[in-house]
Amino acid sequence: MSGGEGITVDVILPMEKAGSERVRRAAVARKLGISPSRIKDVRLVKESIDSRQKKILFQLRLLVGVDSPLPPERLPSRDYPSVRPGSPVALIVGFGPAGMFAALRCLELGMKPVVLERGKDVSSRRFDLAPILRRGTVMEDSNYCFGEGGAGTFSDGKLFTRATKRGPVREVYEIFVAHGAPREILTDAHPHIGSNLLPNVVKAIRESILRAGGEIHFNARVEHLLRSADGRRIRGVACADGREFAADSVLLATGHSARDVYRMMLAEGLALEQKSFAVGVRIEHPQAFVDARQYHLNPEQRRPEQLPAARYSVTTTIQDRGVHSFCMCPGGYVVNASSEAERTCVNGMSYSDREGKNANSAMIVTVTPEDYRPYHVEGTPDVLDGVAFQRALEHAAWEAGKGKVPVQLFGDFCENRVSTALGEVTPSICGEWTFANLREVLPTFIGDSLVEGIRASERKIHGFSRPDAVLSGVEARTSSPVRIVRNETLESSSLTGLYPCGEGAGYAGGITSAAMDGLKTAEEIAKKYMNFS
């Protein structure tokens, strides 16, 4: 019945028994209709929690060895093939998930990755967060968005993606585990690494690249492209400090906050296009409240130790416009993730244990080019209207909070008035905050949509619209407002040898999808320059 690799069996077990090896084996035997003695090995593949009913169930996907044990599980090695003399160079601009995974794939395919990162290494980068947390002062090339590891490094490290059919999700997770991420990300239905663990994982990936002969240059902000004599091919890039790097292929993985890159692409004559995205606020509830609602607990009842801090997802449509939660952080914190002076933009994060007192998520409203066209800045191309819209909201938030994160209770948000006191929810915000009127920061259609959308969420989570839920703003960087056009081989439609990649180029949304796009784009470069197929 069982081949050498085992067979996959799905079983559903009650919470209190799901962790028992004996119970799992018995359930598998019943499912297969065989004697438990024939089951020699059981390995967890995926675990999810079904808490829709009062009786909480664990849904387990198990790999089973029948009549013989399973072969040892193997993870990718941290030792990549050494770069050979004369290997083609792949120049990678940006060292977030797309850039990191592209560099690793280049090594596997016999190319030498040379990475240019505008920010600092992850250890130095941590010190540059202090000014924004203490005074709201942004270090513009080293902050929550820029630097080694990209925006995800200090922002929870959520890996869950709906793009499971579009790329090697499992491979991405395995590479993270090989570099020190918790093994549980291989089996959790909604995996995350945690802001406390991610920096060391990022360092380990850097070490793998350097050990194999790749190069990584920090404080290397790219300012323009080098071209062939006829202007049709890329020949490298030039940095702000005067350094130039030559290569026949450049993978551009600069992240959705590198707004100067969009301006540079336009100046270079590349095709860009507008795209829809979403903006809104962060909303905080007590984690105990979310646990009670999601796990059907009594108000004073503690969450069972078998259960993680509860998460939620809410979505609705208000007058043909989507309103939904995004980047939900159980037991998390809100951070000031601004990357420009005199602008405030918030994000969420949590540590690996998710033991913070509050749950937070973005509550966001879909916006289209029609919505942000009124924010057009005279003298700039229309394609940058979405960027202008983001910047206008972030500046309004900065003014409302005088550099601190502006905060408002939901009840006061509904009444369009500044809050004067907290209720039972105390903000879990890293850095300084102050009361302000977020309705004056956001356009009316967004504010009204948030009120209706949060109230509509009551249908799924009773009490979600409680008046003392804490809002903070603005959340404007959910995804790129611009797409850098590329063709079917992932190459720029305007410049041979340039490969726009990842979230900043408009082709990913989160760590895992950006990492997969990095892998895929590196493979396309290898097909062209290494006869890889």
Side-chain angles (χ1 to χ4, degrees):
M1 176 181 292
S2 176
E5 298 300 319
I7 59 175
T8 300
V9 180
D10 293 331
V11 299
I12 299 175
L13 297 173
M15 174 186 68
E16 60 273 10
K17 297 182 179 180
S20 166
E21 178 79 7
R22 181 185 61 80
V23 172
R24 290 182 181 185
R25 286 174 178 261
V28 167
R30 286 195 300 272
K31 188 82 177 277
L32 297 178
I34 62 176
S35 168
S37 63
R38 293 184 60 191
I39 299 173
K40 306 303 180 184
D41 217 348
V42 174
R43 183 180 299 158
L44 181 64
V45 176
K46 188 67 67 177
E47 176 182 88
S48 61
I49 298 170
D50 184 351
S51 60
R52 290 172 295 180
Q53 307 298 325
K54 287 191 175 182
K55 184 178 179 62
I56 296 174
L57 302 174
F58 275 53
Q59 298 175 330
L60 307 178
R61 174 159 292 178
L62 303 169
L63 187 64
V64 181
V66 177
D67 298 329
S68 60
L70 295 169
E73 189 174 17
R74 291 188 176 91
L75 294 175
S77 170
R78 287 178 56 174
D79 293 321
Y80 285 77
S82 297
V83 174
R84 295 180 179 180
S87 296
V89 170
L91 200 57
I92 298 171
V93 182
F95 200 48
M100 290 190 299
F101 278 74
L104 294 175
R105 184 67 98 222
C106 283
L107 290 170
E108 291 177 331
L109 299 177
M111 302 186 73
K112 177 180 179 177
V114 176
V115 181
L116 308 180
E117 167 55 51
R118 72 188 298 161
K120 299 179 182 180
D121 67 86
V122 72
S123 298
S124 302
R125 183 181 173 193
R126 187 184 295 276
F127 289 101
D128 291 339
L129 300 179
I132 196 169
L133 296 178
R134 294 172 184 166
R135 303 185 299 276
T137 302
V138 179
M139 307 289 285
E140 293 203 0
D141 279 332
S142 182
N143 46 59
Y144 276 104
C145 295
F146 300 144
E148 184 177 22
T153 302
F154 298 109
S155 178
D156 192 76
K158 268 181 287 294
L159 302 180
F160 177 69
T161 178
R162 302 188 192 282
T164 53
K165 296 182 180 180
R166 301 204 303 268
V169 174
R170 172 77 182 193
E171 181 183 5
V172 169
Y173 295 173
E174 288 177 346
I175 291 171
F176 276 127
V177 171
H179 289 87
R183 192 178 184 83
E184 288 75 20
I185 68 172
L186 299 177
T187 56
D188 286 351
H190 291 85
H192 80 116
I193 298 176
S195 301
N196 52 323
L197 303 181
L198 259 172
N200 285 333
V201 174
V202 168
K203 287 180 191 177
I205 292 175
R206 181 218 307 164
E207 290 164 2
S208 288
I209 295 168
L210 295 178
R211 187 167 54 247
E215 296 180 19
I216 302 173
H217 301 267
F218 296 109
N219 299 302
R221 176 162 49 87
V222 171
E223 280 204 331
H224 67 268
L225 308 179
L226 305 177
R227 297 173 179 248
S228 60
D230 61 8
R232 296 178 181 177
R233 293 191 55 84
I234 199 161
R235 290 301 185 204
V237 301
C239 295
D241 59 8
R243 285 180 291 173
E244 294 186 353
F245 294 85
D248 291 329
S249 62
V250 175
L251 187 148
L252 189 71
T254 47
H256 62 46
S257 292
R259 293 163 172 170
D260 57 325
V261 171
Y262 301 138
R263 292 191 294 271
M264 179 181 72
M265 294 294 102
L266 286 174
E268 296 283 354
L270 271 68
L272 275 66
E273 59 188 23
Q274 296 175 321
K275 59 184 285 290
S276 298
F277 56 104
V279 300
V281 296
R282 280 272 150 185
I283 185 167
E284 293 186 75
H285 299 86
Q287 183 61 49
F289 161 80
V290 177
D291 290 343
R293 292 296 185 268
Q294 298 298 82
Y295 294 144
H296 314 288
L297 307 176
N298 296 324
E300 304 303 321
Q301 186 179 356
R302 292 178 61 87
R303 181 179 77 237
E305 62 179 17
Q306 302 100 312
L307 297 176
R311 57 183 301 280
Y312 62 77
S313 175
V314 291
T315 183
T316 189
T317 301
I318 305 297
Q319 296 182 347
D320 297 323
R321 190 183 299 277
V323 182
H324 61 95
S325 60
F326 171 78
C327 186
M328 195 267 157
C329 298
Y333 303 86
V334 176
V335 299
N336 184 343
S338 307
S339 60
E340 296 179 345
E342 298 189 359
R343 287 178 174 81
T344 298
C345 182
V346 295
N347 197 1
M349 56 84 78
S350 59
Y351 298 122
S352 58
D353 62 10
R354 286 184 160 166
E355 287 298 320
K357 64 183 178 182
N358 285 353
N360 75 75
S361 73
M363 285 299 296
I364 51 177
V365 179
T366 301
V367 295
T368 68
E370 290 294 323
D371 295 318
Y372 55 70
R373 183 169 291 120
Y375 290 80
H376 176 74
V377 175
E378 195 67 32
T380 63
D382 293 349
V383 74
L384 296 183
D385 287 352
V387 174
F389 177 62
Q390 289 178 325
R391 298 181 85 225
L393 298 190
E394 292 170 16
H395 182 66
W398 182 85
E399 288 194 318
K402 303 296 187 291
K404 301 177 182 179
V405 173
V407 163
Q408 188 174 20
L409 274 59
F410 178 63
D412 294 321
F413 185 81
C414 295
E415 298 298 327
N416 196 14
R417 66 190 177 211
V418 177
S419 300
T420 56
L422 297 172
E424 294 181 4
V425 188
T426 300
S428 291
I429 295 178
C430 298
E432 295 189 310
W433 60 270
T434 188
F435 287 127
N437 190 350
L438 291 169
R439 289 301 290 268
E440 295 179 352
V441 170
L442 298 165
T444 300
F445 78 90
I446 292 180
D448 291 347
S449 296
L450 285 172
V451 169
E452 293 188 53
I454 292 172
R455 286 174 172 168
S457 299
E458 285 282 327
R459 292 194 293 266
K460 185 170 185 179
I461 304 174
H462 177 63
F464 191 81
S465 65
R466 55 191 287 170
D468 65 345
V470 172
L471 308 184
S472 56
V474 291
E475 175 101 11
R477 310 279 184 91
T478 57
S479 65
S480 170
V482 174
R483 179 175 289 113
I484 304 173
V485 181
R486 66 187 189 187
N487 59 28
E488 64 278 0
T489 63
L490 313 188
E491 197 169 17
S492 165
S493 61
S494 310
L495 183 61
T496 300
L498 180 68
Y499 291 81
C501 177
E503 199 163 340
Y507 296 98
I511 291 174
T512 301
S513 59
M516 291 193 297
D517 202 49
L519 295 173
K520 182 172 62 174
T521 306
E523 290 168 3
E524 289 296 329
I525 293 173
K527 286 179 185 178
K528 187 167 185 176
Y529 296 97
M530 297 288 292
N531 295 319
F532 163 76
S533 60

